[in-house]
């Protein structure tokens, strides 16, 4: 095997892995978990705002 053959096999391996990731990402079974993950930043905002409000009210009482 020469270096050209190894590079060709490496390219094919990376391409197959890429196609696998694309099929995994666009699989219909994963839509609900991806939708939930897409809304995580907004859910985190609510908890941070609540914690910040509590901390501000505590600092006023000190």
């Amino acid at each position: 095997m020469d270096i050209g053959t190894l590079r060709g096999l490496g390219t094919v391996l990376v391409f197959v892995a890429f196609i696998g990731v694309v099929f995994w990402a666009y699989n219909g079974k994963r839509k609900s978990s991806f939708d939930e993950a897409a809304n995580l930043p907004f859910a985190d905002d609510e908890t941070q705002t609540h914690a910040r409000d509590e901390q501000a009210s505590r600092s006023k009482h000190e």
Side-chain angles (χ1 to χ4, degrees):
M1 279 189 158
D2 63 339
I3 191 70
T5 304
L6 287 175
R7 288 181 179 168
L9 289 173
T11 301
V12 169
L13 180 67
V14 169
F15 181 71
V16 168
F18 173 76
I19 295 298
V21 168
V22 168
F23 280 127
W24 173 79
Y26 288 100
N27 189 353
K29 296 178 186 177
R30 308 231 186 280
K31 182 166 176 35
S32 63
S33 63
F34 285 149
D35 288 342
E36 182 182 334
N39 289 321
L40 280 176
F42 303 114
D44 194 33
D45 266 352
E46 293 170 7
T47 58
Q48 286 181 355
T49 303
H50 184 66
R52 187 178 29 208
D53 291 343
E54 285 181 359
Q55 185 179 22
S57 68
R58 271 192 241 133
S59 64
K60 289 180 185 177
H61 295 286
E62 291 179 357

